[in-house]
């Protein structure tokens, strides 16, 4: 069966520090991968998505970047965190784009920038 | 520009009654529509979906209705249970999903 792992679960980082969040998917090949952010009082905002190794699409201009070094690995990074980067970050995967099964989400990372 | 909107941030319903969550969208090209349920500090879990060629899909206590002319989507939960208390997100898309801002449902025992 397919599983998605996301870590760490919580993270407190000072302003200006770097960030690296990792997401891996097991049990499937060539998944579409997504990074979402849920900020306080807001919905789920799509940050990045990838349809293959090394292919990244950015949805919103921001302080973050994403990389996909392996088929089932998706990394969210920042060189210098801002206070506004605080939020709940979610990784998700799907087979293809939209469809009746939707996306499967990881358990999320709560990032607090102080 | 918010393409998918959930105008009610919260909803309270008595146990056993019907919960109706609403969602509006602006893009008539959306192919699929989904509802997700999310508990605090967890990832959203998929509930139910509907494609643009249908107007209703049912799964147990959950029914999703799609009104394409009104660009409106709704989720009905009957009967509502205390364990249904969570934040519900609707999503719509063509090649990727756009999520609404969520509605917090509280089912009162």
């Amino acid at each position: 069966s397919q599983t998605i792992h996301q870590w760490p679960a919580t993270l407190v980082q000072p302003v200006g520090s770097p960030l690296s969040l990792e997401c891996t998917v097991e049990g499937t090949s060539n998944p579409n991968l997504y990074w979402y952010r849920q900020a306080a009082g807001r919905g789920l905002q799509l940050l990045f998505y990838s349809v293959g190794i090394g292919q990244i699409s950015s949805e919103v201009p921001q302080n973050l970047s994403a990389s996909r070094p392996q088929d089932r690995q998706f990394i969210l990074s920042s060189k210098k965190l801002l206070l506004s980067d605080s939020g709940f970050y979610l990784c998700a995967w799907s087979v293809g784009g939209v469809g009746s099964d939707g996306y499967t989400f990881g358990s999320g990372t709560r990032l607090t920038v102080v | 520009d918010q393409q998918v909107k959930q105008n009610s941030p919260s909803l309270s319903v008595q146990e056993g009654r019907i919960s109706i969550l609403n969602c509006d969208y602006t893009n008539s090209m959306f192919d699929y529509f989904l509802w997700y349920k999310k508990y605090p500090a967890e990832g959203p879990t998929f509930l139910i979906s509907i494609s643009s060629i249908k107007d209703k899909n049912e799964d147990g206590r959950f029914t999703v209705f799609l009104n394409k002319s009104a660009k409106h989507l709704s989720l009905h939960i009957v009967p509502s249970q205390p364990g249904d208390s969570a934040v519900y997100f609707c999503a719509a898309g063509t090649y990727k999903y756009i999520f609404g801002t969520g509605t917090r449902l509280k089912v009162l025992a």
Side-chain angles (χ1 to χ4, degrees):
Chain A
S1 64
Q2 301 94 350
T3 55
I4 179 168
H5 303 281
Q6 193 179 339
W7 65 93
T10 59
L11 193 58
V12 180
Q13 291 284 97
V15 169
S17 64
L19 173 73
S20 181
L21 301 181
E22 189 164 341
C23 171
T24 59
V25 180
E26 295 178 359
T28 187
S29 295
N30 197 31
N32 285 8
L33 296 172
Y34 310 87
W35 279 111
Y36 280 84
R37 176 172 59 200
Q38 182 186 13
R42 301 187 64 180
L44 298 174
Q45 183 184 34
L46 179 62
L47 302 176
F48 302 96
Y49 71 95
S50 171
V51 299
I53 295 174
Q55 190 282 328
I56 307 293
S57 295
S58 175
E59 289 295 297
V60 292
Q62 58 200 303
N63 184 43
L64 302 168
S65 62
S67 61
R68 185 170 178 174
Q70 300 181 39
D71 181 43
R72 290 169 289 177
Q73 184 185 30
F74 206 22
I75 297 172
L76 184 69
S77 304
S78 173
K79 292 182 179 178
K80 289 185 177 181
L81 283 169
L82 306 171
L83 286 174
S84 57
D85 292 323
S86 294
F88 192 58
Y89 288 83
L90 290 155
C91 181
W93 73 274
S94 70
V95 175
V98 298
S100 59
D101 294 333
Y103 299 164
T104 301
F105 283 87
S107 54
T109 296
R110 169 73 59 193
L111 172 65
T112 304
V113 182
V114 296
Chain B
D1 180 30
Q2 191 74 25
Q3 296 190 59
V4 180
K5 297 180 183 180
Q6 293 176 257
N7 292 317
S8 298
S10 64
L11 174 68
S12 292
V13 173
Q14 285 294 132
E15 181 180 6
R17 298 289 186 98
I18 184 172
S19 295
I20 300 176
L21 297 107
N22 295 303
C23 178
D24 297 297
Y25 61 96
T26 58
N27 190 337
S28 59
M29 299 301 292
F30 286 148
D31 289 323
Y32 279 93
F33 304 86
L34 311 174
W35 283 96
Y36 279 82
K37 176 180 179 180
K38 185 182 181 301
Y39 293 116
E42 294 183 9
T45 54
F46 170 77
L47 268 180
I48 192 168
S49 67
I50 189 168
S51 73
S52 59
I53 62 173
K54 292 186 174 182
D55 55 18
K56 178 183 175 181
N57 188 26
E58 193 171 352
D59 184 2
R61 297 186 298 114
F62 302 92
T63 303
V64 56
F65 294 92
L66 177 62
N67 183 332
K68 288 188 68 179
S69 61
K71 296 190 181 69
H72 181 79
L73 185 71
S74 64
L75 175 69
H76 292 208
I77 306 173
V78 183
S80 300
Q81 300 173 354
D84 296 329
S85 297
V87 177
Y88 289 78
F89 290 98
C90 63
T94 49
Y95 63 93
K96 63 181 187 293
Y97 282 112
I98 299 171
F99 284 78
T101 51
T103 297
R104 183 177 302 278
L105 172 66
K106 190 171 184 179
V107 179
L108 307 170

